[in-house]
Amino acid sequence: MSGVPLYLLDDTQRYLKNAIFEEKLGVSAKFSDVINVLGEQQVAASRRWPRFGT
Amino acid sequence: MLLFLIVGLVLVLLISRRLVRYATTISPLEASRRVAVSETGQARARWRILEWLALLVGAYKIGGWIFDFQLSSYLTFHEDDGAWWTGIAPAVLAFDRALDFVALPLFVYGLVALLVAQPRLIGGLLGSVTYFVGGKLRSLSLKHMSLKPHRISSFLLIVGLMASVSLYPSIASKSFEDKAMRGATVQVGSELHISISSNDLVSAEQLDQGLGGQIQAMRTVVKNRLAAFQHGDVLSVDPLFEAILPGFSSLGMA
């Protein structure tokens, strides 16, 4: 798996407050909900993620 | 060019095959009359299931554009769903999106087909129009048109479809422009985004370690630089680290 971008967020609340996004980006849930449930050392990934390596 | 000509010719023959057959079988005596009675039966516009479907599908999509809804958005599928469902659901979504490109002609075709299938309605519409533009010849023009109503219906159908096709570029161009702008804004994530390569912030030795070490080294440098950065027009600056797997990282400033 190479060339896949990984974005690191220091503060998810600050990111949601300042970044421009649309809720539909979350596809299966609201984008803000996806980011909100992230904790330390956790990753939110596209549902296509498992297919990247194949 | 030749392909367009062939496709156009084939389509015309296919669509008009019934009328061509009629024109080649009509008796010379009937063809010489001012009004051929059998022509009305052959060329009469009909309101059938396909016209109903066109009107319903077109009305659904146009209603969806106005009220911002689409039925396919209620379809959800996950990796653990059955294979048949994960195959069908994306196909339904794609079909629903594809309808956006044909919804307006379908709606216009269905609506005009409904209108032209009602001779009394067409007569009322034409009567209203000729009331303003017909003048003293109003009754004469109405009588003339009523002799061959199927030709008026065909004319209205063609004009309606041409209008719908010619309207598409003006509607679609604005829509595509808005989508492109939204896509670019969401992709950037801010009004201004500056990407800085990690090599411009830290030394090669500091980058020759794991991702955690790289981020830590860059975070220290960025923190110092942002602390020194002051500009009246800049309200806030947020750094966002982007790592391209397997291990190269860069910094985005939004």
Side-chain angles (χ1 to χ4, degrees):
Chain A
M1 187 182 297
S2 64
V4 180
L6 178 69
Y7 297 96
L8 299 133
L9 304 178
D10 280 336
D11 184 343
T12 54
Q13 295 306 310
R14 185 179 168 83
Y15 171 75
L16 287 175
K17 185 182 172 188
N18 294 328
I20 298 172
F21 62 89
E22 293 189 10
E23 295 290 9
K24 285 184 179 177
L25 286 172
V27 183
S28 58
K30 285 184 176 179
F31 182 74
S32 56
D33 291 342
V34 173
I35 299 297
N36 270 326
V37 298
L38 283 177
E40 284 282 329
Q41 305 291 320
Q42 285 189 318
V43 174
S46 162
R47 61 161 55 125
R48 305 260 179 201
W49 173 268
R51 299 179 192 172
F52 286 174
T54 60
Chain B
M1 193 58 139
L2 183 63
L3 183 65
F4 278 114
L5 186 65
I6 293 171
V7 170
L9 194 62
V10 169
L11 283 176
V12 166
L13 289 174
L14 196 65
I15 292 165
S16 60
R17 65 190 185 286
R18 193 158 53 90
L19 292 177
V20 170
R21 194 184 308 126
Y22 167 69
T24 54
T25 54
I26 187 173
S27 69
L29 188 61
E30 192 171 13
S32 63
R33 289 177 187 156
R34 182 164 175 252
V35 178
V37 179
S38 60
E39 185 185 351
T40 308
Q42 289 290 327
R44 193 177 66 230
R46 294 174 177 83
W47 176 251
R48 292 175 174 167
I49 186 71
L50 281 178
E51 285 75 19
W52 259 115
L53 273 176
L55 184 62
L56 285 177
V57 171
Y60 151 65
K61 291 307 294 185
I62 289 174
W65 295 342
I66 295 171
F67 300 108
D68 192 23
F69 80 94
Q70 53 182 359
L71 293 177
S72 59
S73 64
Y74 295 102
L75 287 177
T76 55
F77 59 98
H78 302 283
E79 298 295 335
D80 51 351
D81 287 334
W84 68 274
W85 181 244
T86 52
I88 287 175
V92 173
L93 281 170
F95 179 70
D96 196 27
R97 285 199 193 103
L99 282 179
D100 287 335
F101 292 93
V102 292
L104 192 57
L106 281 179
F107 179 74
V108 171
Y109 172 72
L111 187 64
V112 176
L114 173 63
L115 290 176
V116 299
Q118 310 290 331
R120 194 177 298 172
L121 196 58
I122 286 292
L125 285 173
L126 290 174
S128 308
V129 174
T130 52
Y131 180 81
F132 295 104
V133 298
K136 291 179 180 176
L137 296 176
R138 175 172 177 253
S139 58
L140 180 65
S141 63
L142 277 175
K143 189 177 179 183
H144 178 70
M145 284 189 284
S146 66
L147 285 175
K148 296 176 181 177
H150 51 282
R151 294 193 180 181
I152 300 297
S153 303
S154 304
F155 175 74
L156 288 177
L157 192 59
I158 291 168
V159 169
L161 288 173
M162 282 177 64
S164 69
V165 171
S166 59
L167 274 175
Y168 246 118
S170 58
I171 297 172
S173 62
K174 183 75 174 113
S175 173
F176 283 129
E177 191 179 308
D178 289 347
K179 281 183 186 294
M181 181 64 78
R182 279 172 54 200
T185 307
V186 170
Q187 180 77 21
V188 171
S190 65
E191 293 178 1
L192 177 65
H193 177 104
I194 300 171
S195 289
I196 303 172
S197 172
S198 53
N199 293 316
D200 297 331
L201 292 173
V202 294
S203 64
E205 290 77 21
Q206 288 174 303
L207 292 175
D208 193 19
Q209 51 188 330
L211 186 61
Q214 293 181 34
I215 298 298
Q216 192 58 43
M218 283 196 289
R219 183 176 283 140
T220 306
V221 176
V222 168
K223 194 175 177 182
N224 292 335
R225 292 199 180 185
L226 287 180
F229 178 76
Q230 295 293 334
H231 196 287
D233 294 332
V234 179
L235 298 177
S236 67
V237 180
D238 288 304
L240 180 67
F241 294 99
E242 179 189 46
I244 306 296
L245 296 179
F248 299 100
S249 58
S250 65
L251 174 71
M253 294 275 201

